[in-house]
Amino acid sequence: RKEVEQDPGPFNVPEGATVAFNCTYSNSASQSFFWYRQDCRKEPKLLMSVYSSGNEDGRFTAQLNRASQYISLLIRDSKLSDSATYLCVLNGGSQGNLIFGKGTKLSVKP
Amino acid sequence: DAEITQSPRHKITETGRQVTLACHQTWNHNNMFWYRQDLGHGLRLIHYSYGVHDTNKGEVSDGYSVSRSNTEDLPLTLESAASSQTSVYFCASREGLATEQFFGPGTRLTVL
């Protein structure tokens, strides 16, 4: 299994839709998990950290399943401004460096 | 406000030339990183540093070097640019291993 795997998409959804992304990882020793957002031709920016108990930030909910080694991101009531690529990120490389998934592209249409 | 900057933002160079990309952060972070991003590959780690005079190779370090003479700067040098090094380069920094990593705006490098 690759270190971090994501469905590349694209996910094309209408405004107001609920969309979910999953990400699987291979390093069971990983301790920190994140979702980053990257707009076209821009730098990645932290969207949210992912905690063991699951966490929510407005329309965004992140879940971690250590047993199955996957994390998820749920976006409710999608907005046009949510259109971006979402990167699954975890620590686990050499000396705990971050490992980035290739990203899932989301396109929200009017 | 603290920030991380990169220069130049765009660069076109020729095969065989030496190129240096600058990265400067004002957060006083010890941890700094260089990535390249290409279609189909995502972000790949080139080099990283955990403090002054500390440098380490990442997964795609061949043809690149870095030096860390102070906390704020981690310049990336392409010793002899190759067309395969055409990419978007991102510098990043963070305080600790479990904290948010901040990225610079990126440098788009084209090697002809």
Side-chain angles (χ1 to χ4, degrees):
Chain A
R1 178 195 275 184
K2 294 180 182 176
E3 288 192 283
V4 182
E5 288 197 76
Q6 294 184 251
D7 182 342
F11 283 59
N12 297 308
V13 303
E15 271 187 293
T18 295
V19 61
F21 307 136
N22 288 327
C23 165
T24 57
Y25 62 93
S26 60
N27 188 342
S28 59
S30 295
Q31 294 296 319
S32 302
F33 304 88
F34 311 90
W35 283 101
Y36 276 69
R37 170 194 169 127
Q38 185 172 25
D39 292 292
C40 188
R41 303 174 80 87
K42 298 280 191 179
E43 72 272 24
K45 293 184 179 179
L46 180 67
L47 177 66
M48 58 196 302
S49 301
V50 185
Y51 303 119
S52 296
S53 55
N55 48 299
E56 188 174 307
D57 183 2
R59 298 182 292 108
F60 299 85
T61 300
Q63 296 277 351
L64 168 63
N65 185 318
R66 287 188 184 273
S68 299
Q69 294 182 208
Y70 79 83
I71 67 175
S72 63
L73 177 67
L74 182 75
I75 305 176
R76 291 180 299 277
D77 189 22
S78 299
K79 311 292 184 189
L80 295 176
S81 57
D82 293 334
S83 296
T85 297
Y86 291 83
L87 306 175
C88 173
V89 184
L90 52 96
N91 75 324
S94 173
Q95 298 177 287
N97 289 328
L98 296 182
I99 301 171
F100 290 80
K102 294 180 182 179
T104 298
K105 186 173 182 179
L106 172 66
S107 182
V108 182
K109 306 291 187 183
Chain B
D1 286 345
E3 60 177 358
I4 179 166
T5 57
Q6 294 183 233
S7 63
R9 295 293 311 279
H10 298 87
K11 174 79 175 177
I12 299 175
T13 190
E14 296 177 343
T15 301
R17 289 190 181 269
Q18 183 180 81
V19 177
T20 296
L21 309 183
C23 174
H24 179 82
Q25 53 97 2
T26 59
W27 276 294
N28 203 36
H29 289 163
N30 283 323
N31 307 308
M32 295 186 71
F33 308 85
W34 273 104
Y35 298 87
R36 60 178 289 176
Q37 188 173 38
D38 306 283
L39 280 175
H41 287 281
L43 283 160
R44 291 184 290 175
L45 185 62
I46 304 171
H47 280 287
Y48 58 99
S49 169
Y50 287 157
V52 176
H53 303 310
D54 176 72
T55 61
N56 305 280
K57 294 182 178 181
E59 64 175 300
V60 290
S61 60
D62 287 349
Y64 304 93
S65 63
V66 293
S67 61
R68 188 89 180 270
S69 58
N70 58 53
T71 300
E72 297 80 17
D73 299 289
L74 186 70
L76 177 72
T77 297
L78 287 67
E79 303 296 342
S80 177
S83 58
S84 60
Q85 294 177 308
T86 293
S87 187
V88 179
Y89 291 86
F90 288 103
C91 179
S93 74
R94 59 185 167 131
E95 183 177 358
L97 293 180
T99 59
E100 178 178 358
Q101 185 157 299
F102 296 93
F103 286 83
T107 294
R108 190 169 295 273
L109 177 68
T110 301
V111 182
L112 301 176

